[in-house]
Amino acid sequence: MPDQAWIEGMPEHLDFESDGLRRYWVQLDYVHDNRPQRLAWPLVVCRRGRGPSVLVTGGTHGDEFEGQIAATELIHRLDPVRVSGLLLIAPTLNRPACLAGARRSPIDDADLNRRFPGLAGEGPSAAIARFVTSALIGRADVAIDIHSGGEAMEFVLSSNLQGRPGSPDLAAGLPALMAFDAPYAIVFDEVKAEGAMPHRGTLEGAARELRKFAISSEIGGAGRVTPVSMQVARDGLRNLLHHFGVLKDPAARLAAQSRSRLLLLARPEHYLAAPVKGHFVPRCWLGDEVERGQPVADLYQLDSGTLARQEVRAPSSGILVAAARRGPVQPGEDLLYIAEPFSP
Ligand SMILES: [Zn+2]
């Protein structure tokens, strides 16, 4: 059962306006298998006076752990006296998936980050998306949604921002991207290629639709946490909350002091998919510089009569920022992402 300091609350009875710290188990009603069900969903609301409104979310994908833990640590150490404005913390966004340690909800098999804004649908994922869009994103100026690569992929430790090179929106958002101070800061943009980022139905997309500022990350992945990935998530969240002014911290690093290497992931040739089925064996790894045409991986077709090996070459020059974690892959599955150095 929830701790004494946590209180149960129906969505319509939550207090977002009074000063103070409130820890809620939000009671989200949904229908599953034609039966009414209820999900208890943790949310921390902390307001002190007027100021920026910032939403922090972890666990949009349940197999990405750094965000869930960084948001939980923030709840544990939060001192309301240091808050200016409104801070909303939802550490386990797709809670059923988080508890299962899986990308998708075991209840409705939904990828929550394809379900926003959640206007339709009756399962738990739609109920979460609907509540987050209307009650949380609607109140926030800024959404910080912390992701990692999950079971399927591993990324360089990076902050992420969607933006079009040369646009005023990107110029305005770059200081936040750099303030995160991860080893890499990646700008990504719409790509026509199938499967490439950004996808439809994301929390960030829902935030941008409402003209809110949304920032994200890809902090490692491969379905596990490392001490370094955890520290990058922890420091990045602290730096961002300081940057936006909602939670000042003298230890925070400023955007102007950022050590992040700025990269662009925005063209079809930045994404390398498997041309054939096979066992994926990368020849280079995250952070490596590669040249266009360089062999970067092999696919071993162990089920072919000749046990054939197919060489896979880099479609562009740049830095290897993501790699598939699986050995056996199907044609069209993502193998490697190659980002290019970017100076706005
Ligand atoms: Zn994710």
Side-chain angles (χ1 to χ4, degrees):
M1 287 300 290
D3 184 87
Q4 289 292 312
W6 291 71
I7 53 174
E8 292 186 0
M10 297 305 293
E12 61 273 26
H13 296 142
L14 307 179
D15 178 3
F16 294 100
E17 298 307 321
S18 311
D19 275 8
L21 172 66
R22 290 169 290 281
R23 302 182 184 92
Y24 289 115
W25 285 101
V26 182
Q27 307 293 305
L28 293 177
D29 289 330
Y30 64 93
V31 174
H32 183 64
D33 282 346
N34 295 318
R35 283 198 207 93
Q37 310 275 350
R38 183 168 282 181
L39 175 71
W41 191 87
L43 171 70
V44 166
V45 177
C46 189
R47 181 185 277 285
R48 199 171 74 91
R50 297 287 128 194
S53 301
V54 177
L55 168 64
V56 175
T57 52
T60 305
H61 291 128
D63 61 347
E64 303 172 10
F65 308 113
E66 287 83 355
Q68 300 176 48
I69 304 306
T72 298
E73 287 180 352
L74 176 62
I75 290 170
H76 288 161
R77 67 177 160 81
L78 185 59
D79 179 0
V81 171
R82 287 177 36 227
V83 170
S84 301
L86 178 64
L87 181 57
L88 304 166
I89 310 167
T92 53
L93 208 73
N94 192 347
R95 185 160 179 80
C98 292
L99 297 184
R103 179 178 178 86
R104 309 169 80 93
S105 170
I107 300 175
D108 57 9
D109 194 37
D111 177 340
L112 180 58
N113 220 27
R114 305 291 180 272
R115 287 299 178 96
F116 283 90
L119 301 177
E122 57 179 26
S125 300
I128 294 168
R130 220 166 14 243
F131 172 73
V132 170
T133 302
S134 60
L136 305 186
I137 297 174
R139 281 189 169 80
D141 307 314
V142 172
I144 302 171
D145 190 27
I146 306 174
H147 287 257
S148 306
E151 291 272 355
M153 298 289 285
E154 182 161 359
F155 278 78
V156 292
L157 306 171
S158 57
S159 55
N160 283 208
L161 180 68
Q162 200 224 322
R164 181 130 311 166
S167 72
D169 279 358
L170 177 58
L174 275 178
L177 183 71
M178 299 304 287
F180 198 101
D181 197 40
Y184 295 88
I186 299 179
V187 173
F188 67 99
D189 193 15
E190 208 98 32
V191 168
K192 292 286 177 279
E194 190 65 34
M197 299 197 295
H199 305 284
R200 288 186 179 284
T202 65
L203 184 154
E204 290 172 79
R208 279 189 285 271
E209 283 287 307
L210 295 172
R211 301 298 302 157
K212 311 301 176 108
F213 181 75
I215 186 163
S216 180
S217 65
E218 293 289 1
I219 307 172
R224 50 121 168 84
V225 182
T226 69
V228 175
S229 68
M230 199 55 243
Q231 195 60 42
V232 166
R234 196 178 278 136
D235 292 349
L237 182 56
R238 176 200 63 195
N239 295 343
L240 276 185
L241 294 174
H242 180 87
H243 174 82
F244 292 118
V246 71
L247 186 63
K248 289 290 181 187
D249 191 324
R253 186 169 282 264
L254 306 178
Q257 305 168 320
S258 176
R259 297 161 292 189
S260 301
R261 183 166 185 192
L262 185 59
L263 300 175
L264 179 70
L265 186 67
R267 307 187 208 289
E269 63 268 27
H270 289 161
Y271 295 88
L272 174 57
V276 295
K277 179 182 173 184
H279 278 61
F280 167 54
V281 181
R283 290 199 198 182
C284 42
W285 198 238
L286 302 176
D288 287 352
E289 295 205 19
V290 300
E291 292 290 329
R292 182 164 178 264
Q294 174 187 334
V296 286
D298 295 288
L299 288 168
Y300 285 85
Q301 296 172 291
L302 300 183
D303 61 351
S304 72
T306 58
L307 303 180
R309 173 178 68 89
Q310 176 154 341
E311 201 170 79
V312 183
R313 293 172 180 271
S316 62
S317 300
I319 314 292
L320 210 154
V321 294
R325 181 179 172 251
R326 272 172 62 75
V329 294
Q330 297 296 323
E333 275 186 37
D334 286 339
L335 295 181
L336 300 168
Y337 296 173
I338 300 166
E340 61 182 55
F342 180 53
S343 36

